Amino acid sequence: MTDPFLADGASGPAPATAAPGPGPLAGLRVLDLATLFAGPLAATLLGDFGAEVIKIEHPRRPDPSRGHGPAKDGVGLWWKLLGRNKRTMTLDLSRPGGRDVLLRLAAGADVVIENFRPGTLEKWGLGWAELSAANPRLVLARVTGFGQFGPYAHRPGFGTLAEAMSGFAALTGEPDGPPTLPPFGLADAIAALTTSYAVMAALRGRDATGRGQVVDLAIIEPMLTVLGPQPLWYDQLGHVQPRTGNRSANNAPRNTYRTADGSWVAVSTSAQSVAERVLRLVGRPELTDEPWFATGAGRARHADELDAAVGGWIARHDRAEVLAAFEKAEAAVAPVYDIRDVLADPQYRALGTLTEIPDDELGTVRMQNVLFRLSGTPGAIRWAGRPHGADTDEVLTGLGMTAPEIAELRAAGAL
């Protein structure tokens, strides 16, 4: 049987952006009212698989992600990724004209994604009561730091706070060092993935009931979920997992090790057979006969000895030699990459993980491809993030508004 991911006559998989079809979510309309990362990224993920996404920004205060991080020729690069596959329009939701337009858009939409503090949409007359009255089949995804109720609901919430409050930071870092935060939006990205899943679950529920519903997603919760059985361990055993650096409390050797040419590699031995192969490879087979070596927890208690054996061997070999020897021994190893290595890696190239997109502002941009491959209805990147408000008139014209009506809204500051 032909592999569905291989292009006809090709030796590798076809890029997910090649000859894009409509996508499995074609026909869904999503209104992205959110700013910064978790909510907008959830909308991006839906747009990657065919949903029509309309990004709605304040006329005078664009999504801050447009100015986040490095820019080229005044064009924010993060926005090119976060805004891909979205049409962009401006709308001041706090003004009556903007409110009316939003309700008209919602009447023909399937999903609204927002991340205002609880009560903000209600203050503008755009809460769930008004939105569901305009469209009973609408799904409203509300993405906030702490959820829609509870003692912290009205606090400003960012992913960093979730990384701290979930227990992630307390686990991360060296045992004698401070708690460590990730240098990128980890909690926001996890929340975005969860939101896109929640939206699809709500839409499936709509298929059964005929009515939409509210998704209440607190960024602190998905982050806690990915940390695994920590609540169970504490509940049943009173166990609080300590910081262990790159080591694991469940197995060893598990660490990063420096090679003779100054590179780094990561080694994992979650499986007993892999641990045995690693120790034979580095010339210490006698350690596999020790009684403590028979379990991951036993090996973790002897991590100093195992790290010395594995790290000492790796330090005498260049990275290429280490990777080749581990591959031959069927032992688990990976080079520690920076983004330059990622872009050059043959596995990422084979998968089409990164792709080039034509762009009116920057010519061509290279970014991550769609998140996964579907054999029958693949996703696609149709365009990178567009300028602020680029599609405002087109979207409003699609609502049946005339040029004078649009001009009146613009003069009133609603656009």
Side-chain angles (χ1 to χ4, degrees):
M1 181 180 293
T2 303
D3 190 320
F5 293 110
L6 294 181
D8 292 341
S11 58
T17 51
L25 302 184
L28 286 179
R29 173 174 277 196
V30 177
L31 305 181
D32 175 8
L33 313 186
T35 57
L36 288 177
F37 304 114
L41 180 55
T44 302
L45 297 173
L46 298 172
D48 283 350
F49 288 89
E52 178 195 359
V53 180
I54 300 174
K55 173 70 176 182
I56 298 175
E57 299 173 81
H58 193 279
R60 293 161 293 281
R61 297 190 298 275
D63 188 322
S65 66
R66 290 182 179 272
H68 234 71
K72 181 181 178 182
D73 299 332
V75 178
L77 298 178
W78 204 327
W79 169 252
K80 286 296 173 184
L81 174 68
L82 193 62
R84 73 188 191 190
N85 290 335
K86 300 179 183 181
R87 291 194 289 164
T88 65
M89 69 172 293
T90 59
L91 205 58
D92 187 342
L93 303 180
S94 68
R95 295 176 184 259
R99 173 191 181 275
D100 294 343
V101 170
L102 192 281
L103 288 174
R104 290 178 64 176
L105 285 168
D110 298 280
V111 180
V112 171
I113 300 176
E114 63 97 2
N115 69 340
F116 300 105
R117 289 196 208 182
T120 301
L121 283 185
E122 285 76 8
K123 178 178 66 177
W124 296 334
L126 290 170
W128 176 239
E130 292 84 2
L131 290 171
S132 61
N135 181 357
R137 291 175 55 81
L138 187 71
V139 169
L140 173 62
R142 316 194 79 165
V143 185
T144 58
F146 303 104
Q148 294 296 308
F149 54 91
Y152 304 160
H154 285 82
R155 291 182 180 179
F158 297 99
T160 297
L161 308 188
E163 289 148 9
M165 288 182 61
S166 65
F168 172 85
L171 294 176
T172 307
E174 294 300 321
D176 57 351
T180 303
L181 296 167
F184 61 96
L186 178 62
D188 279 310
I190 292 172
L193 291 164
T194 309
T195 301
S196 62
Y197 164 68
V199 164
M200 298 310 299
L203 289 171
R204 183 69 180 95
R206 186 184 72 176
D207 291 343
T209 66
R211 295 192 65 84
Q213 58 187 301
V214 176
V215 172
D216 176 9
L217 189 133
I219 296 174
I220 57 174
E221 292 182 305
M223 194 69 199
L224 179 59
T225 296
V226 301
L227 294 182
Q230 310 248 350
L232 272 168
W233 287 343
Y234 183 74
D235 175 64
Q236 297 295 306
L237 302 171
H239 175 69
V240 178
Q241 183 174 334
R243 286 192 291 283
T244 56
N246 290 325
R247 288 178 172 176
S248 169
N250 303 311
N251 66 83
R254 192 263 197 183
N255 214 326
T256 58
Y257 306 93
R258 194 164 192 170
T259 63
D261 56 353
S263 299
W264 291 85
V265 297
V267 172
S268 177
T269 58
S270 296
Q272 180 72 20
S273 59
V274 173
E276 294 171 0
R277 288 197 288 268
V278 169
L279 270 295
R280 288 196 294 267
L281 168 63
V282 302
R284 297 296 305 276
E286 74 280 4
L287 292 177
T288 66
D289 296 326
E290 295 287 345
W292 50 261
F293 197 89
T295 66
R299 297 196 307 274
R301 288 192 292 270
H302 291 78
D304 287 344
E305 186 174 359
L306 294 172
D307 274 348
V310 175
W313 183 89
I314 288 175
R316 297 192 297 272
H317 298 81
D318 290 348
R319 186 175 80 173
E321 296 170 335
V322 172
L323 297 177
F326 268 71
E327 183 172 358
K328 184 177 180 180
E330 297 184 353
V333 69
V336 176
Y337 278 171
D338 64 20
I339 190 57
R340 294 167 295 187
D341 302 309
V342 170
L343 290 171
D345 183 84
Q347 181 63 30
Y348 282 125
R349 286 185 174 181
L351 294 173
T353 306
L354 293 119
T355 188
E356 292 186 344
I357 306 298
D359 183 73
D360 291 340
E361 293 180 289
L362 298 176
T364 300
V365 294
R366 188 159 39 164
M367 66 177 65
Q368 299 94 320
N369 212 329
V370 298
L371 196 55
F372 48 85
R373 288 161 291 282
L374 296 178
S375 62
T377 54
I381 303 171
R382 300 181 294 282
W383 59 81
R386 288 172 54 71
H388 180 231
D391 304 294
T392 301
D393 287 14
E394 179 187 345
V395 172
L396 296 179
T397 300
L399 283 178
M401 298 184 69
T402 65
E405 288 174 320
I406 295 171
E408 183 178 347
L409 284 171
R410 189 164 277 123
L415 299 183

PDB file of all heavy atoms in Angstrom, residues 42-69:
ATOM      1  N   ALA A  42      -4.656  29.667  19.425  1.00  0.00           N
ATOM      2  CA  ALA A  42      -5.734  28.702  19.234  1.00  0.00           C
ATOM      3  C   ALA A  42      -6.458  28.968  17.914  1.00  0.00           C
ATOM      4  O   ALA A  42      -6.771  28.035  17.155  1.00  0.00           O
ATOM      5  CB  ALA A  42      -6.711  28.751  20.403  1.00  0.00           C
ATOM      6  N   ALA A  43      -6.727  30.237  17.620  1.00  0.00           N
ATOM      7  CA  ALA A  43      -7.375  30.586  16.348  1.00  0.00           C
ATOM      8  C   ALA A  43      -6.479  30.246  15.164  1.00  0.00           C
ATOM      9  O   ALA A  43      -6.962  29.797  14.113  1.00  0.00           O
ATOM     10  CB  ALA A  43      -7.737  32.069  16.345  1.00  0.00           C
ATOM     11  N   THR A  44      -5.171  30.452  15.316  1.00  0.00           N
ATOM     12  CA  THR A  44      -4.234  30.095  14.249  1.00  0.00           C
ATOM     13  C   THR A  44      -4.311  28.607  13.942  1.00  0.00           C
ATOM     14  O   THR A  44      -4.331  28.199  12.774  1.00  0.00           O
ATOM     15  CB  THR A  44      -2.795  30.465  14.659  1.00  0.00           C
ATOM     16  OG1 THR A  44      -2.723  31.856  14.939  1.00  0.00           O
ATOM     17  CG2 THR A  44      -1.814  30.126  13.551  1.00  0.00           C
ATOM     18  N   LEU A  45      -4.346  27.776  14.979  1.00  0.00           N
ATOM     19  CA  LEU A  45      -4.390  26.324  14.781  1.00  0.00           C
ATOM     20  C   LEU A  45      -5.655  25.914  14.044  1.00  0.00           C
ATOM     21  O   LEU A  45      -5.627  24.996  13.212  1.00  0.00           O
ATOM     22  CB  LEU A  45      -4.300  25.621  16.133  1.00  0.00           C
ATOM     23  CG  LEU A  45      -3.003  25.857  16.921  1.00  0.00           C
ATOM     24  CD1 LEU A  45      -3.106  25.246  18.303  1.00  0.00           C
ATOM     25  CD2 LEU A  45      -1.808  25.300  16.170  1.00  0.00           C
ATOM     26  N   LEU A  46      -6.770  26.579  14.333  1.00  0.00           N
ATOM     27  CA  LEU A  46      -8.013  26.284  13.611  1.00  0.00           C
ATOM     28  C   LEU A  46      -7.908  26.745  12.160  1.00  0.00           C
ATOM     29  O   LEU A  46      -8.341  26.043  11.234  1.00  0.00           O
ATOM     30  CB  LEU A  46      -9.191  26.952  14.306  1.00  0.00           C
ATOM     31  CG  LEU A  46      -9.471  26.503  15.753  1.00  0.00           C
ATOM     32  CD1 LEU A  46     -10.536  27.390  16.380  1.00  0.00           C
ATOM     33  CD2 LEU A  46      -9.882  25.041  15.791  1.00  0.00           C
ATOM     34  N   GLY A  47      -7.317  27.921  11.950  1.00  0.00           N
ATOM     35  CA  GLY A  47      -7.152  28.427  10.588  1.00  0.00           C
ATOM     36  C   GLY A  47      -6.230  27.569   9.748  1.00  0.00           C
ATOM     37  O   GLY A  47      -6.421  27.452   8.526  1.00  0.00           O
ATOM     38  N   ASP A  48      -5.240  26.955  10.363  1.00  0.00           N
ATOM     39  CA  ASP A  48      -4.309  26.098   9.622  1.00  0.00           C
ATOM     40  C   ASP A  48      -5.012  24.926   8.965  1.00  0.00           C
ATOM     41  O   ASP A  48      -4.511  24.368   7.979  1.00  0.00           O
ATOM     42  CB  ASP A  48      -3.225  25.562  10.556  1.00  0.00           C
ATOM     43  CG  ASP A  48      -2.162  26.596  10.892  1.00  0.00           C
ATOM     44  OD1 ASP A  48      -2.158  27.673  10.261  1.00  0.00           O
ATOM     45  OD2 ASP A  48      -1.325  26.312  11.780  1.00  0.00           O
ATOM     46  N   PHE A  49      -6.155  24.533   9.501  1.00  0.00           N
ATOM     47  CA  PHE A  49      -6.879  23.394   8.935  1.00  0.00           C
ATOM     48  C   PHE A  49      -8.197  23.803   8.287  1.00  0.00           C
ATOM     49  O   PHE A  49      -9.124  23.010   8.191  1.00  0.00           O
ATOM     50  CB  PHE A  49      -7.056  22.300   9.996  1.00  0.00           C
ATOM     51  CG  PHE A  49      -5.758  21.605  10.288  1.00  0.00           C
ATOM     52  CD1 PHE A  49      -4.905  22.082  11.261  1.00  0.00           C
ATOM     53  CD2 PHE A  49      -5.345  20.532   9.513  1.00  0.00           C
ATOM     54  CE1 PHE A  49      -3.681  21.477  11.488  1.00  0.00           C
ATOM     55  CE2 PHE A  49      -4.129  19.923   9.731  1.00  0.00           C
ATOM     56  CZ  PHE A  49      -3.283  20.386  10.715  1.00  0.00           C
ATOM     57  N   GLY A  50      -8.226  25.036   7.805  1.00  0.00           N
ATOM     58  CA  GLY A  50      -9.278  25.433   6.887  1.00  0.00           C
ATOM     59  C   GLY A  50     -10.331  26.375   7.429  1.00  0.00           C
ATOM     60  O   GLY A  50     -11.144  26.888   6.646  1.00  0.00           O
ATOM     61  N   ALA A  51     -10.383  26.603   8.741  1.00  0.00           N
ATOM     62  CA  ALA A  51     -11.380  27.547   9.256  1.00  0.00           C
ATOM     63  C   ALA A  51     -11.102  28.949   8.728  1.00  0.00           C
ATOM     64  O   ALA A  51      -9.954  29.357   8.565  1.00  0.00           O
ATOM     65  CB  ALA A  51     -11.360  27.547  10.783  1.00  0.00           C
ATOM     66  N   GLU A  52     -12.157  29.690   8.459  1.00  0.00           N
ATOM     67  CA  GLU A  52     -12.025  31.101   8.089  1.00  0.00           C
ATOM     68  C   GLU A  52     -11.894  31.898   9.373  1.00  0.00           C
ATOM     69  O   GLU A  52     -12.825  31.947  10.184  1.00  0.00           O
ATOM     70  CB  GLU A  52     -13.243  31.571   7.308  1.00  0.00           C
ATOM     71  CG  GLU A  52     -13.182  33.052   6.950  1.00  0.00           C
ATOM     72  CD  GLU A  52     -14.511  33.625   6.502  1.00  0.00           C
ATOM     73  OE1 GLU A  52     -15.494  32.855   6.446  1.00  0.00           O
ATOM     74  OE2 GLU A  52     -14.574  34.840   6.247  1.00  0.00           O
ATOM     75  N   VAL A  53     -10.742  32.498   9.592  1.00  0.00           N
ATOM     76  CA  VAL A  53     -10.487  33.234  10.826  1.00  0.00           C
ATOM     77  C   VAL A  53     -10.431  34.723  10.511  1.00  0.00           C
ATOM     78  O   VAL A  53      -9.688  35.151   9.625  1.00  0.00           O
ATOM     79  CB  VAL A  53      -9.171  32.792  11.487  1.00  0.00           C
ATOM     80  CG1 VAL A  53      -8.944  33.581  12.784  1.00  0.00           C
ATOM     81  CG2 VAL A  53      -9.200  31.290  11.777  1.00  0.00           C
ATOM     82  N   ILE A  54     -11.216  35.498  11.245  1.00  0.00           N
ATOM     83  CA  ILE A  54     -11.189  36.949  11.130  1.00  0.00           C
ATOM     84  C   ILE A  54     -10.599  37.499  12.420  1.00  0.00           C
ATOM     85  O   ILE A  54     -11.178  37.339  13.506  1.00  0.00           O
ATOM     86  CB  ILE A  54     -12.594  37.523  10.891  1.00  0.00           C
ATOM     87  CG1 ILE A  54     -13.193  36.953   9.594  1.00  0.00           C
ATOM     88  CG2 ILE A  54     -12.549  39.046  10.827  1.00  0.00           C
ATOM     89  CD1 ILE A  54     -14.636  37.357   9.352  1.00  0.00           C
ATOM     90  N   LYS A  55      -9.444  38.113  12.314  1.00  0.00           N
ATOM     91  CA  LYS A  55      -8.777  38.709  13.459  1.00  0.00           C
ATOM     92  C   LYS A  55      -9.297  40.124  13.644  1.00  0.00           C
ATOM     93  O   LYS A  55      -9.168  40.969  12.737  1.00  0.00           O
ATOM     94  CB  LYS A  55      -7.270  38.737  13.224  1.00  0.00           C
ATOM     95  CG  LYS A  55      -6.470  39.486  14.280  1.00  0.00           C
ATOM     96  CD  LYS A  55      -6.467  38.738  15.599  1.00  0.00           C
ATOM     97  CE  LYS A  55      -5.591  39.442  16.622  1.00  0.00           C
ATOM     98  NZ  LYS A  55      -5.554  38.690  17.889  1.00  0.00           N
ATOM     99  N   ILE A  56      -9.875  40.393  14.811  1.00  0.00           N
ATOM    100  CA  ILE A  56     -10.449  41.698  15.096  1.00  0.00           C
ATOM    101  C   ILE A  56      -9.562  42.398  16.124  1.00  0.00           C
ATOM    102  O   ILE A  56      -9.387  41.908  17.244  1.00  0.00           O
ATOM    103  CB  ILE A  56     -11.892  41.567  15.612  1.00  0.00           C
ATOM    104  CG1 ILE A  56     -12.774  40.926  14.525  1.00  0.00           C
ATOM    105  CG2 ILE A  56     -12.445  42.924  16.021  1.00  0.00           C
ATOM    106  CD1 ILE A  56     -14.193  40.643  14.962  1.00  0.00           C
ATOM    107  N   GLU A  57      -9.002  43.559  15.721  1.00  0.00           N
ATOM    108  CA  GLU A  57      -8.111  44.314  16.587  1.00  0.00           C
ATOM    109  C   GLU A  57      -8.670  45.716  16.808  1.00  0.00           C
ATOM    110  O   GLU A  57      -9.434  46.235  15.994  1.00  0.00           O
ATOM    111  CB  GLU A  57      -6.720  44.419  15.956  1.00  0.00           C
ATOM    112  CG  GLU A  57      -6.045  43.074  15.733  1.00  0.00           C
ATOM    113  CD  GLU A  57      -4.748  43.212  14.957  1.00  0.00           C
ATOM    114  OE1 GLU A  57      -3.721  43.554  15.563  1.00  0.00           O
ATOM    115  OE2 GLU A  57      -4.787  42.993  13.722  1.00  0.00           O
ATOM    116  N   HIS A  58      -8.242  46.322  17.902  1.00  0.00           N
ATOM    117  CA  HIS A  58      -8.637  47.692  18.183  1.00  0.00           C
ATOM    118  C   HIS A  58      -8.041  48.610  17.111  1.00  0.00           C
ATOM    119  O   HIS A  58      -6.902  48.415  16.691  1.00  0.00           O
ATOM    120  CB  HIS A  58      -8.132  48.105  19.566  1.00  0.00           C
ATOM    121  CG  HIS A  58      -8.724  49.368  20.081  1.00  0.00           C
ATOM    122  ND1 HIS A  58      -8.267  50.609  19.684  1.00  0.00           N
ATOM    123  CD2 HIS A  58      -9.745  49.594  20.957  1.00  0.00           C
ATOM    124  CE1 HIS A  58      -8.968  51.539  20.296  1.00  0.00           C
ATOM    125  NE2 HIS A  58      -9.873  50.958  21.071  1.00  0.00           N
ATOM    126  N   PRO A  59      -8.790  49.598  16.650  1.00  0.00           N
ATOM    127  CA  PRO A  59      -8.280  50.464  15.572  1.00  0.00           C
ATOM    128  C   PRO A  59      -6.977  51.180  15.927  1.00  0.00           C
ATOM    129  O   PRO A  59      -6.133  51.405  15.051  1.00  0.00           O
ATOM    130  CB  PRO A  59      -9.412  51.475  15.353  1.00  0.00           C
ATOM    131  CG  PRO A  59     -10.635  50.819  15.891  1.00  0.00           C
ATOM    132  CD  PRO A  59     -10.180  49.950  17.021  1.00  0.00           C
ATOM    133  N   ARG A  60      -6.831  51.536  17.187  1.00  0.00           N
ATOM    134  CA  ARG A  60      -5.663  52.342  17.581  1.00  0.00           C
ATOM    135  C   ARG A  60      -4.688  51.583  18.478  1.00  0.00           C
ATOM    136  O   ARG A  60      -3.613  52.073  18.771  1.00  0.00           O
ATOM    137  CB  ARG A  60      -6.146  53.620  18.290  1.00  0.00           C
ATOM    138  CG  ARG A  60      -6.907  54.554  17.341  1.00  0.00           C
ATOM    139  CD  ARG A  60      -7.775  55.564  18.058  1.00  0.00           C
ATOM    140  NE  ARG A  60      -8.902  54.976  18.759  1.00  0.00           N
ATOM    141  CZ  ARG A  60     -10.042  54.592  18.160  1.00  0.00           C
ATOM    142  NH1 ARG A  60     -10.164  54.711  16.841  1.00  0.00           N
ATOM    143  NH2 ARG A  60     -11.024  54.080  18.861  1.00  0.00           N
ATOM    144  N   ARG A  61      -5.038  50.382  18.891  1.00  0.00           N
ATOM    145  CA  ARG A  61      -4.167  49.572  19.733  1.00  0.00           C
ATOM    146  C   ARG A  61      -4.132  48.154  19.176  1.00  0.00           C
ATOM    147  O   ARG A  61      -4.880  47.276  19.617  1.00  0.00           O
ATOM    148  CB  ARG A  61      -4.656  49.569  21.191  1.00  0.00           C
ATOM    149  CG  ARG A  61      -4.625  50.942  21.843  1.00  0.00           C
ATOM    150  CD  ARG A  61      -4.883  50.838  23.350  1.00  0.00           C
ATOM    151  NE  ARG A  61      -6.211  50.283  23.635  1.00  0.00           N
ATOM    152  CZ  ARG A  61      -7.322  51.000  23.683  1.00  0.00           C
ATOM    153  NH1 ARG A  61      -7.290  52.306  23.438  1.00  0.00           N
ATOM    154  NH2 ARG A  61      -8.481  50.423  23.959  1.00  0.00           N
ATOM    155  N   PRO A  62      -3.275  47.896  18.193  1.00  0.00           N
ATOM    156  CA  PRO A  62      -3.211  46.559  17.578  1.00  0.00           C
ATOM    157  C   PRO A  62      -2.802  45.497  18.595  1.00  0.00           C
ATOM    158  O   PRO A  62      -2.325  45.806  19.696  1.00  0.00           O
ATOM    159  CB  PRO A  62      -2.149  46.723  16.494  1.00  0.00           C
ATOM    160  CG  PRO A  62      -2.011  48.192  16.276  1.00  0.00           C
ATOM    161  CD  PRO A  62      -2.337  48.838  17.584  1.00  0.00           C
ATOM    162  N   ASP A  63      -2.987  44.257  18.225  1.00  0.00           N
ATOM    163  CA  ASP A  63      -2.528  43.143  19.050  1.00  0.00           C
ATOM    164  C   ASP A  63      -1.060  43.380  19.413  1.00  0.00           C
ATOM    165  O   ASP A  63      -0.228  43.581  18.522  1.00  0.00           O
ATOM    166  CB  ASP A  63      -2.671  41.825  18.271  1.00  0.00           C
ATOM    167  CG  ASP A  63      -2.406  40.594  19.129  1.00  0.00           C
ATOM    168  OD1 ASP A  63      -1.498  40.641  19.979  1.00  0.00           O
ATOM    169  OD2 ASP A  63      -3.082  39.577  18.926  1.00  0.00           O
ATOM    170  N   PRO A  64      -0.704  43.372  20.700  1.00  0.00           N
ATOM    171  CA  PRO A  64       0.685  43.642  21.088  1.00  0.00           C
ATOM    172  C   PRO A  64       1.701  42.694  20.489  1.00  0.00           C
ATOM    173  O   PRO A  64       2.891  43.020  20.427  1.00  0.00           O
ATOM    174  CB  PRO A  64       0.655  43.514  22.620  1.00  0.00           C
ATOM    175  CG  PRO A  64      -0.759  43.794  22.997  1.00  0.00           C
ATOM    176  CD  PRO A  64      -1.585  43.237  21.864  1.00  0.00           C
ATOM    177  N   SER A  65       1.265  41.527  20.033  1.00  0.00           N
ATOM    178  CA  SER A  65       2.223  40.591  19.430  1.00  0.00           C
ATOM    179  C   SER A  65       2.849  41.166  18.166  1.00  0.00           C
ATOM    180  O   SER A  65       3.930  40.727  17.751  1.00  0.00           O
ATOM    181  CB  SER A  65       1.545  39.259  19.110  1.00  0.00           C
ATOM    182  OG  SER A  65       0.573  39.413  18.102  1.00  0.00           O
ATOM    183  N   ARG A  66       2.199  42.161  17.557  1.00  0.00           N
ATOM    184  CA  ARG A  66       2.796  42.792  16.376  1.00  0.00           C
ATOM    185  C   ARG A  66       4.101  43.501  16.723  1.00  0.00           C
ATOM    186  O   ARG A  66       4.954  43.696  15.859  1.00  0.00           O
ATOM    187  CB  ARG A  66       1.818  43.797  15.752  1.00  0.00           C
ATOM    188  CG  ARG A  66       0.603  43.165  15.089  1.00  0.00           C
ATOM    189  CD  ARG A  66      -0.285  44.223  14.462  1.00  0.00           C
ATOM    190  NE  ARG A  66      -1.450  43.658  13.798  1.00  0.00           N
ATOM    191  CZ  ARG A  66      -1.491  43.242  12.537  1.00  0.00           C
ATOM    192  NH1 ARG A  66      -0.400  43.338  11.783  1.00  0.00           N
ATOM    193  NH2 ARG A  66      -2.593  42.747  12.022  1.00  0.00           N
ATOM    194  N   GLY A  67       4.250  43.898  17.985  1.00  0.00           N
ATOM    195  CA  GLY A  67       5.469  44.576  18.396  1.00  0.00           C
ATOM    196  C   GLY A  67       6.327  43.750  19.336  1.00  0.00           C
ATOM    197  O   GLY A  67       7.294  44.268  19.896  1.00  0.00           O
ATOM    198  N   HIS A  68       5.994  42.492  19.508  1.00  0.00           N
ATOM    199  CA  HIS A  68       6.723  41.617  20.426  1.00  0.00           C
ATOM    200  C   HIS A  68       7.939  41.022  19.725  1.00  0.00           C
ATOM    201  O   HIS A  68       7.822  40.448  18.652  1.00  0.00           O
ATOM    202  CB  HIS A  68       5.800  40.492  20.891  1.00  0.00           C
ATOM    203  CG  HIS A  68       5.702  40.368  22.385  1.00  0.00           C
ATOM    204  ND1 HIS A  68       5.043  41.280  23.163  1.00  0.00           N
ATOM    205  CD2 HIS A  68       6.196  39.439  23.235  1.00  0.00           C
ATOM    206  CE1 HIS A  68       5.108  40.909  24.433  1.00  0.00           C
ATOM    207  NE2 HIS A  68       5.808  39.809  24.503  1.00  0.00           N
ATOM    208  N   GLY A  69       9.105  41.136  20.321  1.00  0.00           N
ATOM    209  CA  GLY A  69      10.291  40.490  19.778  1.00  0.00           C
ATOM    210  C   GLY A  69      10.858  41.231  18.580  1.00  0.00           C
ATOM    211  O   GLY A  69      10.459  42.356  18.248  1.00  0.00           O
TER     212      GLY A  69
END
